[in-house]
């Protein structure tokens, strides 16, 4: 089964639209200081104030797939997100993400939370729709890949 079949994105253009929207959303949230970056920091925020979180981005490249500790953290964060009704997105492309956010590659970018004081989910645009479609199928969203440009 292909990614397009799972997500009902019929073209590469639609998937690229989700990637572009995600990049713009993350840049805007960074500029407005509405990002929480890092697995531990994200788990703390989800425990303290899950209602402020509108999107959880879990980043896992191929080399991270065998990191058992990271996968356990992802499971915990996923549970928090499911309980709080937070949109989740799996992404690969750590290098591209670091470039988009202007972060050093040494920083833990495996989990990124986007917060909103008013919890306005409409601002998520294509990313929110993508997450919503996956959630209605009661499935873990397929991984999207951010490509170097």
């Amino acid at each position: 089964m292909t990614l397009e079949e799972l997500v009902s994105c019929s073209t590469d253009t639609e998937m690229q639209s989700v990637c572009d929207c995600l990049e713009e959303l993350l840049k805007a949230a960074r500029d407005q200081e509405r990002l929480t970056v890092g697995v531990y920091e994200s788990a703390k925020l989800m425990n303290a104030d899950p209602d402020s979180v509108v999107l959880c981005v879990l980043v896992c490249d191929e080399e991270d797939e065998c990191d058992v500790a990271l996968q356990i953290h992802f499971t915990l964060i996923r549970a928090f997100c499911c309980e709080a009704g937070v949109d989740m997105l799996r992404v690969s492309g750590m290098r591209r993400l670091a470039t988009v956010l202007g972060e050093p590659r040494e920083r833990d970018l495996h989990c990124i939370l986007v917060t909103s004081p008013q919890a306005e989910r409409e601002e998520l645009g294509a990313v929110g729709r993508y997450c919503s479609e996956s959630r209605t199928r009661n499935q873990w969203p397929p991984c999207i890949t951010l490509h170097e440009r």
Side-chain angles (χ1 to χ4, degrees), residues 19-60:
C19 292
D20 292 344
C21 184
L22 175 64
E23 288 184 14
E24 292 305 313
L25 175 71
L26 291 175
K27 287 179 195 175
R30 177 202 59 207
D31 294 344
Q32 297 167 9
E33 298 181 358
R34 296 186 301 116
L35 285 184
T36 299
V37 178
V39 172
Y40 294 110
E41 293 81 359
S42 297
K44 283 189 229 176
L45 178 62
M46 287 299 296
N47 191 41
D49 188 15
D51 293 335
S52 69
V53 179
V54 294
L55 179 66
C56 175
V57 179
L58 298 176
V59 185
C60 189

Side-chain angles (χ1 to χ4, degrees), residues 4 12 20 50 69 71 82 84 92 99-100 102 110 119-120 130 136 144:
E4 287 78 16
D12 288 338
D20 292 344
Q71 298 307 319
C82 288
S92 65
T99 302
V100 167
H110 287 103
E120 296 175 1
Y130 174 86
T136 59
I144 63 170

Side-chain angles (χ1 to χ4, degrees), residues 22-23 25-26 35-39 42 46 53-60 74 77-78 81 86-94 97 101 108-114 124 127 131 140 143-144 146:
L22 175 64
E23 288 184 14
L25 175 71
L26 291 175
L35 285 184
T36 299
V37 178
V39 172
S42 297
M46 287 299 296
V53 179
V54 294
L55 179 66
C56 175
V57 179
L58 298 176
V59 185
C60 189
F74 280 1
I77 292 169
R78 282 179 57 203
C81 290
V86 173
D87 286 335
M88 291 179 287
L89 193 59
R90 288 189 312 157
V91 174
S92 65
M94 182 80 70
L97 189 61
L101 295 177
D108 175 18
L109 296 175
H110 287 103
C111 185
I112 300 170
L113 299 180
V114 178
L124 297 175
V127 174
C131 293
W140 174 234
C143 186
I144 63 170
L146 298 177

